[in-house]
Structures are given as C-alpha cells and as structure tokens.
Amino acid sequence: MHYSLSDMILDLIQNSIEADAQRIHLDLIRKADELIVRLTDDGCGMTKGQLERSKDPFHSDGIKHKHRKVGLGIPFLIQTIEQADGSFEIQSEKDKGTTLNIRFNLGNMDTPPEGDWPGLFLQSFCFEGNYELIINRTIIREQGEEAGYTLQRSELQDILGNFNESGAMILLRDYLRSQEEELLDA
Amino acid sequence: MAKMTLEELRKLRSSQKSEMERRDVDGKETHIIVGMGTCGIAAGAKMALDSFLDAIKANDLKDVVVKQTGCMGLCYSEPTVEVKVPGMPDVIYGNVDAAVAKEIVEKHIIHKKMVENHIQDKPAGDIIK
C-alpha cells in the first residue's frame, strides 16, 4: 500500500513497461481540487477476463511471483480512489494496449498526498528498456490559465546517454526538479 | 534553482563527459541496484536512491552505475540494495534508509568495508531460479 499518489502512478508505469509497451503517455493535470491522471500504453493489453480479474484482490497471474497467491497492485489503487471520492476507469485490448483514466479528489481528506513528482519522473525514465515515455505535466490555475512542461524520454536520452551512469542520473534529477520548481513558483 | 533548458543540460553533460573519457573505466564500475518494487517504494526506496545520488555527488565519485530493479524477494527488509564493487564480494543490503545509503557510499564504496547489521544472506526462495 503506497503512501502518496506519485508512488501509485509509478507502479502503473512499471506495469506498462512490464507489458512491453514501446510508447507510454502520461498526462498529469492538476486543477484546484482535483488531479487527473491519464496513462496510455501500447503494451500487451488484457483480455476482458484478464481485465476483470486484475481488479480482484485475490487474483495473481503467478508469472512474476510463482508461489504468491494474492494480489496485483490495481485493487489497492481502486480502494484508495473509492474511499476518497475519486474515479477510476481502465480500458484494455489484448495486443493493443491499456488506457487508464483516474481522477483524484484533492479536496477529500482521505486522498493521499501527491508526493514527489520529479522523483516519480526520474524513476519512470530510468527503468531498463527501450521504451518511449512522454510526460505532460499541466497545472490549470483558478482563472483557467494553463502552465506546464513536457518531458520526452528519447530526447533526454539523446542528451544524457545512459541514465544509469550516476553523473547522467544526477543531471537528470536536477533538470526534472528545476522544471517542477519553476512551475510551482510561477 | 533556475529552470534549466535542454541546451544547458546538454552543455553540462558534455563537460562532465569530457572529464570522464580521460579515464579507462571498462570493468571497473561500481554498481548500485535499488529494489523499486511496490514493497521497496512503500518502504522508502526513493529516499534511499536520492541519498545515494547525493552521496555520489558530494564525494565526486565517477564510474558508478545506479540501476533500479523490481522486488528482490526480500520484502521484509526493504529498501534493499545490491552493491557490486570491483574487488569486493557482491552484497545485498537491507533496511537501507537515507542514512544507511550514505554509509554504504562512504564505507563500502570508498573505504571498501562492509556496512554491518544491514547485510542480507540470500534472496527469498521464489526469486532464485
């Protein structure tokens, strides 16, 4: 069970990567009292039956952890959203990909804190593999003004090379933090 | 910190790289592998990763590879971190919070001494092939 929203989203991105997605899109749209998360991937997807079972806390596919009998991460996320008056939609098609649409009600006191977004971005870029990840971070302010930034994994890899080399990872962390700071200070 | 542009990022990286290329690093890298499964993140693996990066930067270490992996099967001792240093046995450390991460960099990586009380003997059964 995760403490912050950003940690929950990290799990979802990890799911997409493990589903062999080549392109992953994450939109994070923050309004005064809600956070919209849209995650789209072109990974292996799920059949109708698999999709239903993914919501069952007592189901496991037994692939990653052979002897474990319970649980994927999705039921925890659904529980968190339901108890805090948010909404959750998942669509998936076998061999096509999966789309998640989530709305967190930030005004509800049972909604976990947002957590560390640049930290989430850093980790989601640094998994191994040759996937493209595009992150759109947007804040819509009270008068409807929009601000934000976009991050693209291939573009950053082009500049930094292998993210696993600590020098590159430190620079990437500084870069991501500076984008977020600028957005929140403005 | 002022907002960094991609161009600035590129410049910083190339100055960092030209310094690195003067050394021959093949097979001499140190590897830090942080368990970032659900269990790891819930236990604070993000803080450990951050602390590793801070300590690497503070001590100006080069040739360090930092990787994330999934659950290592040692959920009860998360955050877990595998450390591979040339000339040292590969070690999996458990309960690595920010302070322990700093200690690993200073003791294990720089001074080649194990960090006591955090060493795990072997991964759990369902992870070993």
Side-chain angles (χ1 to χ4, degrees), chain A residues 2 22 36 113 141:
Chain A
H2 287 313
Q22 297 304 300
I36 314 277
R141 297 188 214 282

Side-chain angles (χ1 to χ4, degrees), chain A residues 47-102:
Chain A
T47 61
K48 271 216 169 81
Q50 284 172 321
L51 187 59
E52 275 320 300
R53 287 195 294 276
S54 73
K55 299 175 193 168
D56 174 0
F58 299 105
H59 166 73
S60 172
D61 59 15
I63 294 171
K64 198 165 158 188
H65 300 284
K66 265 193 206 145
H67 304 286
R68 199 183 282 177
K69 298 278 190 274
V70 290
L72 301 168
I74 297 281
F76 279 132
L77 176 70
I78 296 176
Q79 184 192 28
T80 305
I81 291 166
E82 281 177 353
Q83 74 191 9
D85 185 31
S87 63
F88 173 85
E89 270 172 37
I90 182 167
Q91 288 155 357
S92 191
E93 207 179 322
K94 189 77 193 154
D95 301 322
K96 291 271 169 60
T98 302
T99 300
L100 284 156
N101 265 302
I102 303 169

Side-chain angles (χ1 to χ4, degrees), chain A residues 55-165:
Chain A
K55 299 175 193 168
D56 174 0
F58 299 105
H59 166 73
S60 172
D61 59 15
I63 294 171
K64 198 165 158 188
H65 300 284
K66 265 193 206 145
H67 304 286
R68 199 183 282 177
K69 298 278 190 274
V70 290
L72 301 168
I74 297 281
F76 279 132
L77 176 70
I78 296 176
Q79 184 192 28
T80 305
I81 291 166
E82 281 177 353
Q83 74 191 9
D85 185 31
S87 63
F88 173 85
E89 270 172 37
I90 182 167
Q91 288 155 357
S92 191
E93 207 179 322
K94 189 77 193 154
D95 301 322
K96 291 271 169 60
T98 302
T99 300
L100 284 156
N101 265 302
I102 303 169
R103 191 185 61 85
F104 292 108
N105 181 348
L106 299 176
N108 190 304
M109 65 185 280
D110 289 324
T111 299
E114 288 185 69
D116 171 22
W117 294 115
L120 159 74
F121 302 154
L122 178 72
Q123 273 131 31
S124 49
F125 282 129
C126 291
F127 287 110
E128 284 192 63
N130 219 350
Y131 57 94
E132 175 68 304
L133 171 63
I134 296 168
I135 297 175
N136 280 309
R137 171 97 168 110
T138 309
I139 291 186
I140 302 176
R141 297 188 214 282
E142 273 160 43
Q143 277 85 29
E145 249 177 279
E146 274 189 33
Y149 57 88
T150 298
L151 306 164
Q152 187 173 351
R153 188 172 187 250
S154 57
E155 187 176 51
L156 292 163
Q157 255 175 338
D158 228 31
I159 294 171
L160 293 169
N162 182 358
F163 292 147
N164 288 333
E165 196 269 305

Side-chain angles (χ1 to χ4, degrees), chain B residues 51-117:
Chain B
S51 177
F52 275 115
L53 292 180
D54 287 336
I56 290 166
K57 196 173 176 181
N59 291 291
D60 199 24
L61 298 182
K62 303 287 184 315
D63 318 330
V64 182
V65 174
V66 183
K67 282 187 188 168
Q68 320 181 62
T69 185
C71 173
M72 296 188 204
L74 297 157
C75 309
Y76 58 91
S77 66
E78 288 286 358
T80 51
V81 178
E82 186 172 3
V83 183
K84 298 180 178 189
V85 177
M88 295 272 287
D90 297 348
V91 180
I92 295 179
Y93 284 111
N95 300 308
V96 182
D97 59 13
V100 176
K102 189 164 175 266
E103 206 181 332
I104 291 173
V105 170
E106 287 166 359
K107 271 200 191 143
H108 189 117
I109 298 177
I110 299 177
H111 293 109
K112 312 266 192 276
K113 286 206 172 76
M114 307 266 211
V115 177
E116 278 169 45
N117 303 327

